[in-house]
């Protein structure tokens, strides 16, 4: 489940109004899934010791087709991962997340981070294509 459905719906509404979604679907087919990347807290049970810095952030990716959140800690200046990926079930337990979605989460996140990155990041996907919406500044 997406971490903030209302925020996602607002962005999706704007993209519907300006024709972005219609254009994408005309060229690539119907949108079948959505992903949202936002900041999160580092889980207490994470076994890696992470030294906090002003450029180290924990991110989570949530999907409208999985009941789990993926998480990772990234140094946004060096683009170095400071942790491995963790999975947090949203409703007690969840299905295993396919490797292709873990890779898509990481690729989308890495395209969106850097000095002045913004969150949340939004992604719309189908079986053959995707598009992402990246805010330009951290909120």
């Amino acid at each position: 489940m997406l971490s903030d459905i209302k925020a996602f719906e607002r962005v999706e509404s704007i993209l519907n109004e300006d024709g972005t979604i219609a254009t994408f679907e005309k060229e690539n087919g119907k949108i079948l899934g959505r992903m949202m990347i936002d900041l999160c807290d580092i889980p207490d049970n994470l076994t890696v010791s992470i030294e906090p810095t002003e450029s180290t952030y924990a991110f989570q990716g949530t999907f409208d087709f999985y009941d789990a959140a993926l998480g990772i800690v990234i140094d946004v200046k060096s683009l170095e991962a400071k942790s491995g990926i963790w999975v947090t079930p949203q409703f007690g337990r969840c299905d295993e997340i396919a490797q292709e979605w873990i890779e898509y989460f990481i690729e989308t996140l890495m395209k969106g981070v850097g000095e002045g990155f913004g969150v949340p990041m939004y992604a719309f996907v189908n079986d053959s294509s995707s598009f992402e919406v990246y805010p330009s500044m951290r909120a």
Side-chain angles (χ1 to χ4, degrees):
M1 174 171 292
L2 297 168
S3 61
D4 189 341
I5 293 170
K6 290 189 185 302
F8 207 102
E9 288 172 347
R10 284 190 299 272
V11 168
E12 192 167 19
S13 176
I14 292 166
L15 296 172
N16 273 315
E17 288 175 16
D18 74 6
T20 300
I21 289 178
T23 300
F24 174 84
E25 289 185 332
K26 183 178 179 182
E27 295 172 2
N28 302 286
K30 184 170 177 49
I31 292 170
L32 301 175
R34 292 151 181 84
M35 179 183 70
M36 181 176 202
I37 299 175
D38 209 345
L39 297 174
C40 67
D41 294 324
I42 299 171
D44 293 334
N45 64 349
L46 195 63
T47 57
V48 176
S49 177
I50 299 168
E51 191 171 321
T53 69
E54 63 183 38
S55 63
T56 302
Y57 293 88
F59 294 91
Q60 73 174 0
T62 55
F63 305 84
D64 66 354
F65 50 90
Y66 280 120
D67 288 332
L70 294 174
I72 190 168
V73 178
I74 300 285
D75 182 309
V76 297
K77 285 186 180 174
S78 68
L79 300 181
E80 178 184 357
K82 296 294 185 176
S83 74
I85 298 285
W86 69 82
V87 178
T88 304
Q90 293 171 308
F91 301 104
R93 60 172 276 192
C94 62
D95 294 330
E96 184 175 334
I97 297 179
Q99 184 64 32
E100 67 186 327
W101 293 113
I102 295 170
E103 291 170 7
Y104 180 70
F105 161 63
I106 295 298
E107 289 169 10
T108 304
L109 174 61
M110 296 310 277
K111 286 180 195 173
V113 297
E115 300 267 350
F117 73 91
V119 288
M121 300 170 201
Y122 304 91
F124 299 82
V125 300
N126 64 22
D127 291 336
S128 62
S129 194
S130 68
F131 77 92
E132 296 79 26
V133 177
Y134 296 102
S136 60
M137 293 177 54
R138 192 165 22 107

